[in-house]
Amino acid sequence: MLRKRDKRDEIAFGSFSSASNLQEEVESRVHMGYYFVVMGELTGETGARSSSIMFLHRRNFLNLDFIMQSGVFFGFPPSYFKSYNLVGKLRTFGFIDYSPKEAVPLSNEEKTTINQIFNLIERECERNADDKTKDILFASLELLIFNVSRFYSRFFNEQSRYLLSVREKFKLLLEHAFDLNDRRNSQVPSLIDMATRMNCTTRYLNDVMLFT
């Protein structure tokens, strides 16, 4: 059962115990421009479960397959942190636009770190708001994002063989596309076309190319 804590209309913090709970909470706000940070148990394509963290928003919400079964969330509209240029900062991190299946799996130590940050956010959400509330929430959010960036760097380093296979697949698809284009005299495929063929997001594909 969803236990929502939201003392101010502009932010939401709570926990969920099923994928439908999470979908209900996110869907009611994401179309209003909200961003959500969600940590929970993610079920992979093989059925294996692992602790993961992901970001949800309007751009990656459509046709979303909710596969997190339990966890915690923090939701906010960018306008809440308008004076901090949050949107500009978020755009510098490609993983903000990754799909849930591209969420980074967390080690036990990383899970503990994220839990500690979520605990800071929860305590601040439950306090009466004052002139330091937004500063503390933004600092906590920024700390969380920088840690997730570190986790992805760790993950990419550990999965170098897999990333090379993704790069090789991209190369083969691109060569095939150019060969077809030569015959048909058609346009060069876009990054969106290539990502769709590889069943991944454009930001993930772009980051893999940059990392390898």
Side-chain angles (χ1 to χ4, degrees):
M1 192 73 177
L2 179 70
R3 300 194 307 276
K4 186 173 72 171
R5 305 176 180 92
D6 187 1
K7 290 197 172 183
R8 289 174 290 280
D9 291 337
E10 297 144 306
I11 58 175
F13 185 94
S15 61
F16 59 95
S17 57
S18 71
S20 60
N21 287 154
L22 176 60
Q23 182 174 8
E24 180 182 354
E25 177 61 26
V26 173
E27 193 167 18
S28 66
R29 294 175 182 265
V30 74
H31 295 301
M32 298 163 54
Y34 272 65
Y35 282 75
F36 277 82
V37 189
V38 185
M39 185 182 75
E41 295 295 314
L42 191 67
T43 303
E45 295 180 353
T46 63
R49 300 184 70 179
S50 63
S51 296
S52 301
I53 187 165
M54 64 182 181
F55 294 79
L56 299 176
H57 49 81
R58 186 182 294 162
R59 293 191 303 278
N60 70 354
F61 181 76
L62 294 177
N63 302 317
L64 185 63
D65 182 14
F66 282 85
I67 46 182
M68 268 194 179
Q69 300 301 318
S70 62
V72 292
F73 64 82
F74 174 49
F76 55 90
S79 59
Y80 185 74
F81 297 112
K82 186 176 181 180
S83 62
Y84 303 85
N85 189 29
L86 176 62
V87 173
K89 292 180 179 180
L90 289 177
R91 286 173 180 163
T92 65
F93 297 96
F95 57 79
I96 298 294
D97 291 330
Y98 289 0
S99 71
K101 69 179 181 180
E102 295 159 352
V104 61
L106 303 176
S107 67
N108 289 334
E109 181 181 353
E110 291 167 347
K111 182 179 178 181
T112 298
T113 297
I114 296 300
N115 270 325
Q116 290 171 341
I117 299 173
F118 266 105
N119 287 338
L120 288 173
I121 294 172
E122 179 180 17
R123 287 199 295 271
E124 193 58 35
C125 286
E126 292 180 337
R127 291 172 59 92
N128 291 326
D130 57 28
D131 62 340
K132 300 300 180 185
T133 297
K134 287 187 180 182
D135 291 336
I136 293 172
L137 286 175
F138 181 76
S140 300
L141 179 60
E142 199 170 40
L143 180 62
L144 186 150
I145 290 171
F146 280 122
N147 271 280
V148 174
S149 180
R150 171 183 283 173
F151 301 160
Y152 269 108
S153 293
R154 182 270 305 165
F155 177 72
F156 282 168
N157 276 312
E158 290 177 350
Q159 301 295 321
S160 57
R161 183 175 298 180
Y162 164 73
L163 297 182
L164 286 172
S165 70
V166 173
R167 186 182 182 89
E168 186 62 25
K169 182 179 179 181
F170 174 80
K171 180 181 176 182
L172 291 173
L173 283 174
L174 195 60
E175 289 175 349
H176 180 65
F178 271 110
D179 184 51
L180 288 178
N181 287 336
D182 286 341
R183 294 183 212 167
R184 300 174 183 172
N185 194 26
S186 57
Q187 292 184 340
V188 175
S190 66
L191 183 63
I192 295 176
D193 294 330
M194 299 301 291
T196 300
R197 295 180 194 182
M198 298 181 66
N199 195 28
C200 65
T201 61
T202 55
R203 293 299 295 267
Y204 185 79
L205 181 57
N206 180 73
D207 290 349
V208 168
M209 294 300 105
L210 291 173
F211 192 85
T212 56

